[in-house]
Each structure stands twice: as structure tokens, then as C-alpha cells.
């Protein structure tokens, strides 16, 4: 299989992304993994750490070294020298972010590429949603993710952006801000502060007669030197 840290930049990027999805700090991750905060920091900076330490971090994030190596394998950056990049549907990879099973199969990443397995897990309440991204990313541009929604879940914030947009590609969902519920149908969208917590759930129970709701999450106004976060 080779050195699980052979692509340190890839490992670092994926660790940061996965920790963000879990909504935990570096200190919290270090506590769960029983490693030093400096170890987590080094890993997320693309510095080499011991395999045993990386494995503990991955287990604390409910993922594996193999996934950490490959979650971004299908994505490449748009550079100034490239006029455009294209994503084809067959290149999409799906990931379960909140899998409630006590024991997740080692080949789960392969299994859930089949929509029937995602539907099975979703209908059983074992995975409320699945995440997929484009096969490319734009370092200074917007962030894009697709969500298949099977049950209620807390929104994944995008801390690197000031604002975000949910666009309903298919079906209908209920998005809740505090005590306020917003009903969105196919073709509708909602914009909000990317650090705002919200919950999302299907408007109707999932059945075999229709595909699950599909949402496109767009992160806009990337935070950087030219776009400071709002006060």
C-alpha cells in the first residue's frame, strides 16, 4: 500500500476538512485521539508524524488512513494557467459523514457509491445524509458540495467563507434556524451567514417511489486578506 503519509499535503488538507465536518477544535481532536495538540497541528500543516499517531487521529475522526489519503484524490485545483476545469457526474465520490452504525464495513466507501446502498442506510436511519463534491476545487473561488438528504442533521458550517447558499436541486426540505422553519422546494435557494447553525431534513419521509432530496451547498466570499470576516 505504500507510505500512508506519502502525500503530506493531501493528508493535511483532508484532516482539516474532516475535522471541520465534525465541528471540533484541534484541542478537542487531540483529546479524543490521545495525542498532543502539537501533533494534530503538525499533521494539519503537512508535516510528517508517526503512523501510529496518524491512525489515532483518523480513528478519532471516525475515518481511516486510506480515506484520509484518498478523499481528495479525485480533486485538483484550478490554476491561473488553466482557463477552466470540468466535473463529470461519473467522477463524483460519495461519503457518509454521520454514520450511526457501531461497526462500519471496511469497504463502506466503495459500497455507498451505489445509490441503493445509500438509500438503504438512509431509510434505516443509519446515515441521515451523504456528501459529495466536485472533482476539482478552486483555491480562491467558491466551495461546492452536494448533499443527499435522508434524515435530520445539523448543517456543516463552512468557516473559510463568510456566506453560503443552499440550492435545492431535487425534492423538498425543511431548513430550521432556531425556532423558524423554512420550506424549500426544487429550484429554491436560501443564503445565510456561513457560520450560522441550522438543521436540514426532508419535508416528506423517504420512500422507494422517489429519490431523496438533493442540495447544492455553495460557499461564497472566501475569507482572506481581501475579504475579512464580518464583525
Amino acid at each position: 500500500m505504500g507510505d500512508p503519509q506519502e502525500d503530506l499535503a493531501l493528508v493535511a488538507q483532508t484532516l482539516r476538512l474532516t475535522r471541520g465536518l465534525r465541528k471540533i477544535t484541534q484541542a478537542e481532536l487531540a483529546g479524543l485521539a490521545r495525542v498532543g495538540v502539537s501533533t494534530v497541528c503538525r499533521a494539519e500543516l503537512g508535516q510528517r508524524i508517526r503512523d501510529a499517531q496518524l491512525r489515532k487521529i483518523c480513528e478519532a475522526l471516525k475515518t481511516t488512513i486510506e480515506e484520509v489519503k484518498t478523499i481528495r484524490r479525485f480533486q485538483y485545483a484550478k490554476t491561473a494557467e488553466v482557463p477552466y476545469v470540468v466535473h463529470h457526474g461519473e467522477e463524483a465520490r460519495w461519503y457518509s459523514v454521520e454514520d450511526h452504525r457501531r461497526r462500519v464495513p471496511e469497504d463502506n466507501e466503495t459500497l455507498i457509491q451505489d445509490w441503493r446502498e445509500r438509500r438503504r442506510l438512509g431509510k434505516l436511519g443509519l446515515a441521515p445524509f451523504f456528501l459529495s463534491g466536485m472533482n476539482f476545487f478552486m483555491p480562491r473561488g467558491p466551495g461546492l458540495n452536494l448533499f443527499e438528504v435522508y434524515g435530520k442533521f445539523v448543517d456543516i458550517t463552512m468557516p473559510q467563507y463568510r456566506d453560503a447558499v443552499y440550492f435545492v436541486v431535487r425534492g423538498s426540505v425543511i431548513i430550521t434556524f432556531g425556532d423558524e422553519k423554512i420550506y424549500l422546494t426544487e429550484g429554491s435557494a436560501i443564503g445565510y451567514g456561513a457560520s450560522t447553525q441550522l438543521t436540514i431534513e426532508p419535508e416528506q419521509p423517504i420512500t422507494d417511489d422517489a429519490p431523496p432530496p438533493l442540495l447544492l451547498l455553495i460557499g461564497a466570499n472566501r475569507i482572506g486578506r481581501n475579504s475579512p470576516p464580518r464583525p
Side-chain angles (χ1 to χ4, degrees):
M1 182 177 297
D3 184 351
Q5 298 182 73
E6 59 190 8
D7 189 339
L8 296 177
L10 175 67
V11 170
Q13 184 181 57
T14 308
L15 286 177
R16 292 194 301 269
L17 171 66
T18 308
R19 181 171 61 80
L21 294 176
R22 300 295 181 195
K23 297 183 177 66
I24 58 177
T25 65
Q26 287 185 338
E28 290 170 334
L29 174 56
L32 292 171
R34 297 187 178 182
V35 300
V37 177
S38 62
T39 300
V40 174
C41 183
R42 291 201 311 274
E44 292 192 0
L45 288 174
Q47 299 174 7
R48 188 175 297 277
I49 62 174
R50 294 199 302 271
D51 292 351
Q53 294 173 319
L54 179 60
R55 192 173 298 278
K56 287 181 179 180
I57 291 173
C58 291
E59 290 175 353
L61 290 171
K62 299 181 180 179
T63 185
T64 65
I65 287 179
E66 289 72 26
E67 282 192 342
V68 165
K69 282 182 60 183
T70 61
I71 193 171
R72 294 289 243 178
R73 175 187 298 168
F74 303 92
Q75 302 183 352
Y76 56 93
K78 163 140 181 0
T79 63
E81 296 76 23
V82 177
Y84 60 85
V85 285
V86 178
H87 169 83
H88 298 286
E90 62 271 16
E91 296 171 318
R93 298 289 296 180
W94 290 94
Y95 302 94
S96 56
V97 180
E98 294 183 8
D99 196 316
H100 300 311
R101 288 176 288 179
R102 289 186 178 181
R103 189 171 183 178
V104 179
E106 291 185 2
D107 59 346
N108 185 58
E109 183 183 332
T110 300
L111 293 173
I112 63 174
Q113 301 315 311
D114 188 329
W115 65 268
R116 288 164 292 196
E117 176 65 4
R118 298 197 299 274
R119 178 186 288 274
R120 184 184 75 84
L121 295 175
K123 288 185 65 179
L124 289 174
L126 297 175
F129 74 104
F130 294 87
L131 164 71
S132 179
M134 303 299 104
N135 71 325
F136 61 82
F137 68 100
M138 304 174 72
R140 298 185 180 277
L144 301 172
N145 283 317
L146 286 168
F147 292 84
E148 274 189 351
V149 184
Y150 290 91
K152 187 174 183 178
F153 68 93
V154 178
D155 166 66
I156 294 178
T157 58
M158 304 181 80
Q160 67 272 43
Y161 296 97
R162 291 192 304 172
D163 299 300
V165 174
Y166 265 114
F167 177 81
V168 183
V169 179
R170 180 181 67 210
S172 57
V173 296
I174 303 172
I175 296 183
T176 305
F177 288 87
D179 297 327
E180 185 175 2
K181 293 184 180 293
I182 297 98
Y183 294 79
L184 295 179
T185 58
E186 186 171 316
S188 302
I190 187 169
Y192 63 99
S195 61
T196 305
Q197 181 171 302
L198 52 91
T199 59
I200 301 174
E201 60 189 305
E203 184 179 8
Q204 301 293 335
I206 302 301
T207 67
D208 291 331
D209 300 328
L214 183 66
L215 304 181
L216 175 64
L217 174 60
I218 306 170
N221 302 322
R222 183 184 289 272
I223 296 173
R225 287 181 298 177
N226 298 323
S227 57
R230 291 194 179 105

